[in-house]
Amino acid sequence: MKKRILALLLAGIMALGLAACGGDPAPADVPESKDNQSTGIAAKDMKVGLILIGEAADAYNKNHIEGMQAACKKLNLDYDTQVIVKANVSEDSNCSDAINELLDAGCQAIFANSFGHEQYMVEAAAENPEVQFCHATGYQGSSDTLDNTHNYFAKIYEARYLAGIAAGLKTKSNKLGYVAAKPFAEVISGYTAFYLGAKSVNPDVTMLVNYTNEWSDPTKEATNAQALIDQGCDVISQHSDTSAPATTAETNGVFAVGYNDDMIPAAPKAALVSARVNWGAYYEYALDCLLKGEAIDQDWCGSYADNACFLSDLNKDLVAEGTAEAIEKAADGIVDGSVQVFAGPLYGKDADGKELNLAEGEFYIENEKSSAPSFAYIVDGITVLS
């Protein structure tokens, strides 16, 4: 029988959180909600705030906007008049200012999409118990001290694993490159999953990782992608917010696997596929709870099976023969549980030197009681450059 490896306690890895097809996920692996909403809100009276870390046009933020728009459409809310978007909100006191402006505008729910927004959301939640504060990628929504704070994310590592299959089948040099934002658990779990997906179809593949230390910086993303290409990487993937890695790959005649958005329009001669989160699944769920006067889960994490994460359409003109079939087979395994992303044999170390040693038949289970990812090991086959 497969052994289950428990995830790390989030309280010990605060610094390891994130910055960065429709459906109605109903994840079972979340704690029972508190009664944080007792009376519903009439649809015509709903006012929602959405705080974004960067430009609205950046892939990550665009994906959130599209998710909110889809949720509003399904719930008969008017996105243009009932949702107030605050873009380019940095992870400092500017976030507090944005929250206060949304409160003054009468928002009953405020959503923020970057890890560093969390402390300001929690502070505001303590002072405004009648307002629901929902935060993507954090960990404090599971706190017992406030019942109007909520965290949400998706098991994007499942979609990244599938995207990695496209990379593993396409590479000729057997060297993949990954432009990563910051050395946080969500980023590390994502690129590890991507690598393991590639390795599942190409056991000779290795991967280089290059951190920008920014969530969104097209210049750094392009520079890091170029450095990886110069070292022989012929498929570039990313956990960063712009299309710069994909366009840099195209300029150099190599290939790219995107994140957040379909990169084919930006790099039609390079983009193979993208891993995406369907934020609309959560936004529809949370807003529907508000409308009905039902409690919102304090931690929500949808899966690939829930359609909370998915792959964009394959670039059929570029992907290797057999890619669609290999992805479909692995996806079926993820849905039925026969494929585990972080499966042994798997070895590595985290930043503190703690070892991961999974034998054949063992696998690491991501957090079951929190939406924030916890996998933070650098496994054999992956080399971090910076």
Side-chain angles (χ1 to χ4, degrees), residues 114-383:
S114 190
F115 181 79
H117 292 151
E118 185 170 34
Q119 68 180 89
Y120 304 99
M121 293 283 280
V122 172
E123 290 170 3
E127 298 173 358
N128 300 275
E130 74 285 359
V131 177
Q132 303 303 312
F133 292 83
C134 306
H135 177 257
T137 76
Y139 71 100
Q140 294 186 57
S142 58
S143 168
D144 291 330
T145 59
L146 296 172
D147 60 10
N148 63 328
T149 57
H150 316 277
N151 289 321
Y152 60 100
F153 201 54
K155 296 179 180 179
I156 186 61
Y157 59 88
E158 294 178 336
R160 287 197 185 278
Y161 180 93
L162 299 176
I165 291 173
L169 291 174
K170 187 65 178 180
T171 180
K172 300 298 183 184
S173 67
N174 288 331
K175 291 182 70 174
L176 308 180
Y178 202 101
V179 177
K182 300 187 180 186
F184 292 174
E186 196 276 335
V187 179
I188 296 170
S189 68
Y191 67 62
T192 304
F194 174 77
Y195 171 70
L196 294 177
K199 192 174 181 180
S200 72
V201 294
N202 182 351
D204 297 325
V205 74
T206 60
M207 189 169 79
L208 302 179
V209 175
N210 209 353
Y211 287 111
T212 64
N213 292 305
E214 301 289 346
W215 299 116
S216 179
D217 188 322
T219 300
K220 288 185 178 180
E221 291 169 39
T223 299
N224 283 22
Q226 187 64 57
L228 293 166
I229 293 166
D230 290 345
Q231 295 200 47
C233 299
D234 62 354
V235 181
I236 303 298
S237 191
Q238 64 183 97
H239 186 134
S240 57
D241 289 355
T242 81
S243 60
T247 55
T248 302
E250 182 169 82
T251 298
N252 286 269
V254 299
F255 302 98
V257 173
Y259 178 45
N260 294 311
D261 199 8
D262 183 355
M263 296 295 176
I264 294 176
K269 296 179 181 179
L272 303 176
V273 68
S274 292
R276 299 186 62 180
V277 176
N278 173 27
W279 298 111
Y282 179 75
Y283 292 142
E284 182 182 349
Y285 158 75
L287 294 178
D288 191 46
C289 286
L290 290 171
L291 291 169
K292 293 177 178 177
E294 297 176 353
I296 302 172
D297 283 323
Q298 284 201 294
D299 270 301
W300 185 99
C301 192
S303 67
Y304 182 85
D306 300 323
N307 287 327
C309 59
F310 65 104
L311 292 185
S312 65
D313 291 339
L314 291 173
N315 190 336
K316 295 180 180 178
D317 295 332
L318 294 184
V319 295
E321 184 177 354
T323 297
E325 294 79 5
I327 289 176
E328 181 179 8
K329 181 179 178 181
D332 289 344
I334 286 174
V335 171
D336 68 24
S338 61
V339 171
Q340 294 291 330
V341 171
F342 303 112
L346 196 60
Y347 311 100
K349 291 183 179 181
D350 68 10
D352 296 323
K354 182 179 179 180
E355 292 189 355
L356 174 74
N357 190 345
L358 296 182
E360 185 78 34
E362 295 181 335
F363 51 88
Y364 182 100
I365 296 295
E366 267 288 5
N367 287 322
E368 294 181 304
K369 294 185 178 181
S370 175
S371 58
S374 64
F375 189 96
Y377 297 94
I378 308 302
V379 302
D380 292 351
I382 297 176
T383 300

Side-chain angles (χ1 to χ4, degrees), residues 6-28:
L6 296 179
L8 301 174
L9 292 175
L10 283 182
I13 56 168
M14 174 178 176
L16 295 176
L18 173 67
C21 317
D24 286 325

